Amino acid sequence: MPSVTLDIPCIRDTQLDSGAPTADLSTATTITLGMDADGDKEHGIFSFDLSAIGAIPPGAITAASLRLFVESSVATPGTNLWRLMSLPPAWTELANWNTYDGSTVWTAAGGDVTATGANIVSSVIAASVGTIISIGVSTGLTAARAAGQTRADFLIRRSTESGNTLTWTVSSRNHATEAQRPVLRITHTYPYSTVIGGFGGTERAKQRIRRW
């Protein structure tokens, strides 16, 4: 059966930095993930509008992945474990390490997640610089839709936040190069093709039809 691949653009993202716990980093063109040389923990959070796939039956979706472009890294490719978590959808781009909207504190600083929490979507092995890493998020997407959420929200962090410096820097949705911005890639069976309107009047989801 033919398949359709749909790239949904990120509608909000930001970095949570334990070394700057009240900083608004939402306008940056990159997001640092991991733990830096000063021992500061760095989390990245990403959100995607699910209205693009609202008409697609859950059973028609065959794959879902978060795609991030790795600009730089001090992590050895292929050896370091990271965690991708589902995130509660209440946060805004004013989020920082201490709060999810600039004023209301997270239940747990840094995004209400732990390395062993029930909201783990997948484990990730570090990618090479200059490449796109594709992280499977089917579990998180299914849970978000089942809960009636209109967004899918994810947080990525280092699995073990202690010891040596290990970081990635990935492109954010503010990056000048569109091809490097985060996307949620959905593959579903045809004919459940959905035409997508603009996001905020400026961004548009893209479809590529593949016939197998």
Side-chain angles (χ1 to χ4, degrees), residues 55-152:
I56 303 173
I61 295 177
T62 57
S65 61
L66 170 62
R67 292 170 61 83
L68 302 172
F69 184 89
V70 182
E71 294 201 17
S72 64
S73 175
V74 295
T76 304
T79 61
N80 299 293
L81 190 62
W82 306 71
R83 298 291 195 199
L84 184 78
M85 321 284 199
S86 291
L87 191 69
W91 69 278
T92 74
E93 277 192 313
L94 295 176
N96 54 47
W97 185 265
N98 289 343
T99 73
Y100 63 75
D101 60 4
S103 59
T104 311
V105 297
W106 298 100
T107 301
D112 288 355
V113 297
T114 67
T116 57
N119 56 344
I120 292 175
V121 174
S122 60
S123 298
V124 187
I125 298 298
S128 299
V129 173
T131 65
I132 292 176
I133 185 168
S134 181
I135 308 165
V137 296
S138 294
T139 300
L141 177 66
T142 299
R145 296 188 79 192
Q149 295 176 9
T150 59
R151 291 170 20 200

